[in-house]
């Protein structure tokens, strides 16, 4: 029955590995696959793509418009917000839907990120024409539900403890080997 014990890794899956797993299930051409893998490798640990679009397009020997299409394809991957070039784009990628709430949230992210960062809620309320309650509610939603760092939590070392299967103890009669059966 000891073979039934799982051998756990000490590290979670990294962001790049997670994205590559998603890529491999897509039915795309070999060339598009190669470009996507290259772009995944260019990604920073935090999930942002900080390299200049012109440099990437030049390296891949494609037009910037083609590169933008490749990036938009990858921005559909999980976690939401990945492959953004800045905070605004990251948050906008996470706001999907066509309801009124999403439109309000997109308006805030698009136009009022600095005011949100400085907690200038009355100013936002005045400029948008919303009540202060609606402004507070929408800003709270952004702060609580959107992730500014989409790569957070990937590839981090787990907080696991390693327990020995046996312990050697010295006694009056010599050494004893104690089997730690409660951990198995």
């Amino acid at each position: 029955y000891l073979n039934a014990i799982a051998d756990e890794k000490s590290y979670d899956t990294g962001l790049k590995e997670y994205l590559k797993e998603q890529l491999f299930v897509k039915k795309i051409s070999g060339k598009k696959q190669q470009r996507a893998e290259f772009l995944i490798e260019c990604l920073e640990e935090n999930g942002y793509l900080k390299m200049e679009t012109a440099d990437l397009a030049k390296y891949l020997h494609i037009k910037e418009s083609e590169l933008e299409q490749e990036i938009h394809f990858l921005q559909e991957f999980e976690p939401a917000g990945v492959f953004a070039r800045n905070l605004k784009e990251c948050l906008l990628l996470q706001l999907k839907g066509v309801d009124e709430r999403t439109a309000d949230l997109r308006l805030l992210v698009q136009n009022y990120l600095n005011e949100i960062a400085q907690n200038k809620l009355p100013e936002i309320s005045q400029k948008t024409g919303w009540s202060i309650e609606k402004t507070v509610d929408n800003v709270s939603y952004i702060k609580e539900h959107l992730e500014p760092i989409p790569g957070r939590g990937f590839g981090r070392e787990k907080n696991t403890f390693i327990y020995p299967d046996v312990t050697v103890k010295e006694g009056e009669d010599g050494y004893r080997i104690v089997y730690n059966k409660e951990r198995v």
Side-chain angles (χ1 to χ4, degrees), residues 34 52 65 81 113-114 117 120 146 150 159 162-163 166 181:
Q34 288 176 332
E52 293 294 324
S65 59
L113 273 184
N114 289 333
K120 294 182 177 179
L146 301 184
N159 293 326
I162 299 173
Y163 297 99
V166 295
K181 61 185 174 186

Side-chain angles (χ1 to χ4, degrees), residues 165-183:
D165 292 335
V166 295
T167 304
V168 179
K169 295 185 177 185
E170 185 176 8
E172 293 177 16
D173 302 334
Y175 291 97
R176 289 183 314 138
I177 297 175
V178 179
Y179 181 62
N180 296 324
K181 61 185 174 186
E182 60 274 346
R183 291 288 177 198

Side-chain angles (χ1 to χ4, degrees), residues 38-79:
F38 175 77
L39 290 171
I40 288 171
E41 288 302 320
C42 292
L43 203 62
E44 292 185 355
E45 255 184 59
N46 60 13
Y48 284 85
L49 184 63
K50 292 290 190 174
M51 295 181 71
E52 293 294 324
T53 307
D55 295 338
L56 288 169
K58 186 176 180 181
Y59 183 83
L60 291 170
H61 306 292
I62 59 175
K63 296 177 184 174
E64 284 187 54
S65 59
E66 291 177 76
L67 178 63
E68 283 298 327
Q69 289 175 352
E70 299 282 345
I71 292 170
H72 288 302
F73 167 72
L74 292 168
Q75 287 175 337
E76 295 296 320
F77 286 31
E78 290 294 326

Side-chain angles (χ1 to χ4, degrees), residues 14-160:
L15 177 62
K16 291 178 182 180
E17 289 80 17
Y18 182 64
L19 293 168
K20 285 178 184 177
E21 287 172 5
Q22 294 175 67
L23 178 63
F24 291 130
V25 297
K26 303 283 184 185
K27 294 183 181 181
I28 56 175
S29 69
K31 189 167 265 200
K32 187 171 180 128
Q33 175 101 17
Q34 288 176 332
R35 289 178 188 157
E37 285 181 39
F38 175 77
L39 290 171
I40 288 171
E41 288 302 320
C42 292
L43 203 62
E44 292 185 355
E45 255 184 59
N46 60 13
Y48 284 85
L49 184 63
K50 292 290 190 174
M51 295 181 71
E52 293 294 324
T53 307
D55 295 338
L56 288 169
K58 186 176 180 181
Y59 183 83
L60 291 170
H61 306 292
I62 59 175
K63 296 177 184 174
E64 284 187 54
S65 59
E66 291 177 76
L67 178 63
E68 283 298 327
Q69 289 175 352
E70 299 282 345
I71 292 170
H72 288 302
F73 167 72
L74 292 168
Q75 287 175 337
E76 295 296 320
F77 286 31
E78 290 294 326
V82 77
F83 283 96
R85 274 65 65 93
N86 56 53
L87 176 62
K88 183 184 290 188
E89 185 178 25
C90 176
L91 298 177
L92 288 171
L93 287 169
Q94 295 174 55
L95 292 170
K96 301 201 181 214
V98 291
D99 61 351
E100 182 182 337
R101 173 94 191 245
T102 304
D104 289 346
L105 296 172
R106 291 181 74 78
L107 175 78
L108 282 175
V109 170
Q110 191 72 41
N111 301 311
Y112 300 105
L113 273 184
N114 289 333
E115 288 86 349
I116 291 171
Q118 297 169 12
N119 209 26
K120 294 182 177 179
L121 302 182
E123 187 177 319
I124 296 170
S125 179
Q126 181 183 4
K127 288 181 178 178
T128 59
W130 299 338
S131 68
I132 194 70
E133 293 81 17
K134 181 176 180 177
T135 304
V136 168
D137 185 48
N138 284 334
V139 169
S140 294
Y141 184 90
I142 289 170
K143 289 180 177 181
E144 293 169 12
H145 293 94
L146 301 184
E147 176 57 68
I149 305 170
R152 188 188 327 249
F154 283 89
R156 303 281 187 241
E157 190 171 335
K158 291 181 181 178
N159 293 326
T160 57

